[in-house]
Structure formats: C-alpha cells, structure tokens
Amino acid sequence: MSAERIGAEEFVDASTAPETRGIEVIGDAERHGRARDLFFVWAAPGVSILNFTVGATLILLGLEIWQAIAVILASSLLWVFPGIIAGSGPAAGTSGSVVTRAMYGVLGNKLFVAFVGWFIGAVFLSLTWLASSFMGADLLRRIGLDDPVWVPIGVTIVVSAVTIAVAIFGHGLILRIYPIMAVVLFAIFLLVTAFILPTVDWGYTAPQALSGGQLWSAISIGFTILASTPLSFINSPDIARYLPRSTKPSHIAAATAFGGALPFIVFTSVGVLLATGLKAGAFDAGIDVALFDLLPGWVGPLLVIGVIVNTIALNAMTTYTSSMALQAIGFRLRRIPSAIIVGAVGTALTVYLVLSSSLLEAANILLQLLVIVSGPAMAIFVVDVLRRRYVYDGAELFDDSRGSRFWYSGGWGVPGIAALLLGGLATALCLATDVWTGAIAAALGHVDLSVPVGMIVAAVAYLLLSRTRLGKEGRL
C-alpha cells in the first residue's frame, strides 16, 4: 500500500478521537478550516517562559533596554518565513517533511528529515519540557518535595505523557483547544507581568556601556538566539495542510506570522524588563527561582500551570509534526506509534538536561547551535516555495520510483543538499557561542553574523544551482 493511502480509510478530522491520518495526501473533500484559525494555533506555543529567558539574556549580554527591544523587533520579522512556507501544506495536501522532497530528492530528503527535522524537534521538545521540569520541581520544593533528581524527572514524565496524548489526538484537537490555551496563557502571563512591572528599573543603564565591536557582538549574539525560534518552525506546512486548496497563501502567511510574532514580541520584552530589576547574581539559581521570588505565593502556582500548558501546546505540536517526519523518512509506522517514539526520545533527552544543566545555560547554547541547520533549511524552503509559486503535486511527491519527477540524480537533489551544506558551513563560521566560535566570528571580534550570512548563502546557492533543474521540470 502506498504511503499516501496508509490510514486514509474512513478518516474524520475530529477532536474527540485519535487522528489516524499521517503524511498521506488530503483530498479536497476532506479540507476544512480558515486561514485565521492558524493565529491561535501559533499564539499558544509562543506564550512561553523561554521568551522571558531569552529576553533576560539580552540584558545579561550588556544591552540597554532600547537596544534589547530593537533586537526583539528585528528578530520578530523572521516569523514571516514560517508563514511563507506554511502555504505549501494546503498546496500539496501533505506534510512539510514530504514537500521537502522537491528540494532534496526522494533519498536526500530522508537524510534531511532524519537529521535536520529531528534535531530541531528534539531541541525544542527538551528545552520546553526542561522549563516545566525546573519550575514544577521548584514549586514542589517549596511545599516540601525537594529531591533534586526524582522530583524534576517525575514532573518531566507526567508533562510528557499529557503532551504525547494531545499529539496522538492530533490536528482536530489542536484546532479545538489551542485557542482556549492561548487565552488562558495570555491571562496568566499578563498577570505575572503585572507583578514584574513594579520591579522594573525604568532608568536602567548597563553596568559597563558597550560600544564598537563589543556592542555589535552583544547585539548579533542576541539576534541569533532570538532568531532561532521562528527559523525552527519548518513544520508550519503540517498545521496548515488541512486548509482548502483555494485558501490564499498570503492569508496563511499573515495568520501564521502574526500568531507567532505577537507573543514573541510582548513576552520577550517582558523578559528584558524583568532582568533590569534583579540584583546581580539573581539568575545564578535560574530564571524560575528569580521569578518565584518576585511573585506573591498564590501567583507562583498559576505561573507553573501556565508554563506547563505552554509546554504541552508547543511540544504537542512538535511531537505531532515529528511523528510525520518519521513516516517521511520511510519507517513503516502509523502516525500514533511514531508520536509515542518521538515523545520517548524527547523525554530521555530532557531527563539528561535536567540532571546536567540550568535552563538559562541550556537554552542559550542550544538555541544558538540550532541556527546552523534551521537557518539554511528555512532559506531553501522559502526559495523553493516562491520559485514554484506554491505549485506542488501531492501524488508526484509520493512517487518514489526511479525516474520519477523528484528522483533527480540517483534520488538526490544535489542543488538542495549542496545549498544546505554551504549554508550550514557559512553559519558555523560566523557563529559565536560559549562552546564554539567560528573563524569569521573570531576575526570580527565575536560579532555573530551566522543567521543572515548562512541564510543568504543557502538561498543564493539554491537559487543558482536549481535554475537549470526547475527549467527542465517545466513547472514553477
């Protein structure tokens, strides 16, 4: 049985039953929804304590408030890229992990999805589960459950189990409950913000004013950390794929981009303000402890609930899309067992991080390293979508026979793979982190140009290398 037909029989996209559909093509009769439904789907995962964390990092890097806000606004513009590629889902009627066969070839895409797609998914699963583990464990510590090992592990397992359950029910449940989650999360985080604002030092100035190379280094590193979030959502076509084929790509792009960018801007900015009112060393014990110390006793548990709800929202989406990535790699699995496997892998990585690092340390390092793969991959996807003008044939994407349209050179899409490698290399050379500084970044005095340089190199390389191939295909 072909991949596009697995689980297709008697399928109903409902919120009350597990979704049996995986990567198979969605027929026009089964399409439903409106582009604006995507706004809340993307807003719920965006109301996150990770935004507080990365916002505070900008102040810790030595930036002034206005400089940090400017970096946030600049990086928020990158949300347009997940919006642009989201339209490929309804166009092809399948998952983005299948659409990328148009870029990397039938065999090359298996390698791409296995390493790039899974790396991005694993990082975000572990980071957000890590946040809920730390904060849940800290709340339990305050009521007497203070085992430093088993308490955070227990919180991780419980939250992971709920997350996997949501991913198993899938698209229908996500559309039904994410608007509710978004409203609840906005209410909780705005309440937390109300208690943070009185502590803000509105006249804050950095202890040592940065200038010249030091200033640009701090700005560029901060931009890279923030940029990693929107650039990681290469799975945006998966959430949009049920929309009617006639849905305008511009409407899909707007709903996706604004849904992601709005909470990103608001709550990362709150993280900036939070850091200005804290004494030196307040973050040594972690941002979770620093936040609890600022809030009244009754607000702390609400914040933990918010973090857990956000964790479920983000990781259920990630687990859901990663389960389809497993199918796209070629494993003969239905989507539900795939979701369980993805969740188990993410849980194991989270447990390791819980026992080995702090939230702030883990977030900053992993988010920076993430752009080595996410930036170039996003750039290639955007170029392909725009070149083809959203024309993708789902049936042809599933034709994996030799000589098929996307078989290319022995199953490999050389332009896409070459552009990805060149973009990743350029990103690594321009990256500046605590664990890796590329040669170009070092020569520039630790100025981190990894995101723009890596994306430009990948986009230009793919554009030039694929011109001949797209011409031969005869369709754009």
Side-chain angles (χ1 to χ4, degrees), residues 137-370:
D138 192 57
L139 178 63
L140 293 175
R141 176 184 62 79
R142 292 169 186 262
I143 62 175
L145 298 175
D146 56 359
D147 188 292
V149 175
W150 292 109
V151 170
I153 289 177
V155 173
T156 300
I157 292 173
V158 171
V159 175
S160 300
V162 177
T163 302
I164 294 169
V166 174
I168 287 173
F169 275 75
H171 183 265
L173 184 61
I174 288 173
L175 283 185
R176 175 64 63 86
I177 67 172
Y178 272 42
I180 300 171
M181 284 181 163
V183 172
V184 170
L185 287 168
F186 263 98
I188 292 175
F189 275 74
L190 287 176
L191 177 64
V192 171
T193 299
F195 286 100
I196 289 175
L197 290 179
T199 71
V200 174
D201 180 3
W202 296 101
Y204 173 84
T205 56
Q208 293 183 337
L210 301 180
S211 62
Q214 286 184 324
L215 175 60
W216 284 109
S217 176
I219 289 174
S220 61
I221 290 173
F223 179 84
T224 299
I225 293 172
L226 268 64
S228 63
T229 297
L231 294 181
S232 69
F233 286 114
I234 200 167
N235 61 351
S236 61
D238 300 27
I239 307 301
R241 74 191 198 283
Y242 278 93
L243 291 174
R245 197 182 303 273
S246 60
T247 308
K248 292 183 178 180
S250 60
H251 293 180
I252 296 173
T256 301
F258 281 114
L262 182 59
F264 176 84
I265 293 170
V266 171
F267 295 110
T268 307
S269 298
V270 172
V272 169
L273 299 177
L274 166 66
T276 65
L278 297 176
K279 296 179 181 178
F283 280 101
D284 292 345
I287 191 171
D288 50 331
V289 177
L291 268 174
F292 271 126
D293 290 340
L294 287 178
L295 301 175
W298 64 274
V299 178
L302 286 177
L303 176 59
V304 174
I305 292 172
V307 171
I308 291 174
V309 170
N310 169 260
T311 298
I312 293 169
L314 178 55
N315 282 5
M317 179 190 293
T318 303
T319 304
Y320 173 69
T321 59
S322 295
S323 68
M324 287 182 282
L326 262 186
Q327 292 183 309
I329 292 170
F331 290 102
R332 296 298 180 183
L333 291 170
R334 292 182 180 271
R335 196 194 62 78
I336 292 175
S338 297
I340 295 172
I341 292 172
V342 171
V345 172
T347 302
L349 179 57
T350 306
V351 169
Y352 170 76
L353 290 174
V354 162
L355 301 178
S356 62
S357 61
S358 71
L359 176 59
L360 191 65
E361 176 187 16
N364 290 342
I365 292 176
L366 288 176
L367 289 176
Q368 281 181 277
L369 293 176
L370 186 65

Side-chain angles (χ1 to χ4, degrees), residues 42 78-86 100 103-104 112 116 120 227-237 256 371-386 420 451 454-455 458-459 462:
W42 288 101
L78 297 177
W79 273 100
V80 71
F81 294 131
I84 289 173
I85 68 171
T100 47
M103 289 141 249
Y104 305 106
F112 169 78
V116 177
I120 292 174
S228 63
T229 297
L231 294 181
S232 69
F233 286 114
I234 200 167
N235 61 351
S236 61
T256 301
V371 299
I372 294 177
V373 295
S374 63
M378 181 65 78
I380 292 168
F381 207 150
V382 169
V383 169
D384 196 78
V385 164
L386 296 180
L420 186 66
V451 170
M455 292 188 73
Y462 184 65

Side-chain angles (χ1 to χ4, degrees), residues 447-465:
V447 173
D448 187 331
L449 299 178
S450 57
V451 170
V453 170
M455 292 188 73
I456 290 171
V457 168
V460 171
Y462 184 65
L463 185 64
L464 295 177
L465 293 173

